[in-house]
Amino acid sequence: MVVNYSNDYDVKCQLDTCKTYPVITDSDRGEMFCGGCGLVLVQNIADISHENNGYTQEEYMKFARTGPATSLTMHDKGLSTVIGIDKDSTGKALSSKTKFEFNRLRTWDQRSKSRKTSTLSKAFTLLHGMKTKLGVSDNVVENAAYIYRKVVNAKLTRGRTMSSLVSAALYAACRENNIPRTLDDIASVGNVERRILSRDLRTIIKKLGLNLNQYDTTSFISKISNNMNLKEKTKRDACDILKRCENEMITAGKHPVAQAAASLYIACILNGEKISQKKFSIESGVSDVTIRNRAVLIKKTLKILDDEDSECHSNLL
Ligand SMILES: [Zn+2]
């Protein structure tokens, strides 16, 4: 097994006399120490030894040593302090005095959790709720949690609500992972005003120096057409129209969802699929007036003219 230690573990003892001694790793204790003087250089290292979960439930129970993987979406990354049950290491019951002592420790452990930790855990509960409603994957949520942690560390929380910051972090994560979700989607799920959300998003992007890619507009075509039962050819034509629009440079600065919806609308007409603009408007969340205007511009620029067009158009309206 090839082991790559991170740079944190790239340590050496600073004493001159120890220069020639190796650093020894004790995986049982999770420590790395100097082979010369015995100074502990790293504590609590991650256990990278081979995990054997066995083949049966019984073996699994016997061998399993770990809980779930650490996750940024938990306020303590899933590594909370656990003050054990009222038994000592040999399994004997504790005396009532010691029991009392441990109860007190447990109470103080809870109370001493800083304000930051408790707000973090509230924020991540919110994030998990939004994850389910939006149907985004774990790695996007993990990414959002990472961005939210950066927001908190940069002290951007003052004067902004938690829900709008969490929503903004989630939107940024969606953009980074090219998962097509619009600001409106996220605003409605996070119960935030869209205006506030976009304001906070701008702040986050500026202050954290995030570099978000433009959405690949074609991903919106599949998102919109998912519930419409369209032919594959129609979708492909829509992508084609979109590509040609990009080549003609009429997409820059335009609403990507409207652009995708309009392309799909034109492709539907060309392929004889009768779907009303109203339906497009509902599926894409863009007003039918916007879609109509975009469609007119696209048709004019790409010189898409057919006899069917005028007829279909009047039917659908
Ligand atoms: Zn040393």
Side-chain angles (χ1 to χ4, degrees), residues 35-101:
C37 64
L39 177 74
V40 177
L41 301 167
V42 184
Q43 278 183 321
N44 298 334
I45 59 173
D47 187 352
I48 38 81
S49 63
H50 179 57
E51 184 77 22
N52 183 358
N53 283 339
Y55 298 100
T56 63
Q57 181 70 22
E58 200 179 328
E59 273 180 325
Y60 176 78
M61 297 301 281
K62 213 158 96 193
F63 290 136
R65 305 166 303 163
T66 57
T70 59
S71 166
L72 286 177
T73 60
M74 282 183 265
H75 69 91
D76 51 9
K77 300 180 192 167
L79 298 168
S80 19
T81 310
V82 176
I83 298 179
I85 43 165
D86 298 328
K87 294 226 170 93
D88 68 5
S89 60
T90 57
K92 271 186 250 159
L94 296 176
S95 70
S96 62
K97 192 173 163 243
T98 331
K99 250 188 216 166
F100 175 73
E101 195 80 345

Side-chain angles (χ1 to χ4, degrees), residues 156-285:
L156 298 176
T157 43
R158 181 164 299 167
R160 300 183 180 87
T161 63
M162 181 200 290
S163 54
S164 102
L165 286 174
V166 169
S167 307
L170 187 56
Y171 178 76
C174 284
R175 279 272 285 271
E176 278 185 358
N177 292 283
N178 204 20
I179 306 293
R181 297 288 180 275
T182 60
L183 266 180
D184 292 303
D185 289 345
I186 298 204
S188 75
V189 163
N191 203 9
V192 202
E193 235 179 287
R194 194 204 134 106
R195 184 175 56 85
I196 308 276
L197 174 59
S198 78
R199 184 198 68 191
D200 288 352
L201 181 69
R202 274 199 303 274
T203 317
I204 291 181
I205 291 175
K206 208 170 121 198
K207 288 279 162 66
L208 299 184
L210 296 181
N211 196 3
L212 300 182
N213 307 326
Q214 263 310 326
Y215 268 129
D216 178 9
T217 321
T218 46
S219 59
F220 282 109
I221 289 184
S222 35
K223 188 186 174 236
I224 296 169
S225 59
N226 268 343
N227 297 327
M228 293 222 237
N229 259 335
L230 297 179
K231 285 184 278 188
E232 276 307 311
K233 173 149 192 315
T234 312
K235 295 182 201 167
R236 249 181 296 136
D237 285 355
C239 290
D240 197 46
I241 291 171
L242 208 52
K243 285 263 160 55
R244 282 163 64 197
C245 289
E246 274 162 18
N247 290 341
E248 295 285 339
M249 319 250 263
I250 56 166
T251 55
K254 291 292 178 330
H255 197 319
V257 187
Q259 193 69 31
S263 308
L264 201 58
Y265 172 66
I266 294 172
C268 279
I269 293 173
L270 293 178
N271 286 288
E273 304 214 43
K274 306 214 165 176
I275 290 173
S276 68
Q277 284 180 340
K278 187 99 194 127
K279 174 93 173 140
F280 276 101
S281 168
I282 293 167
E283 289 293 336
S284 62

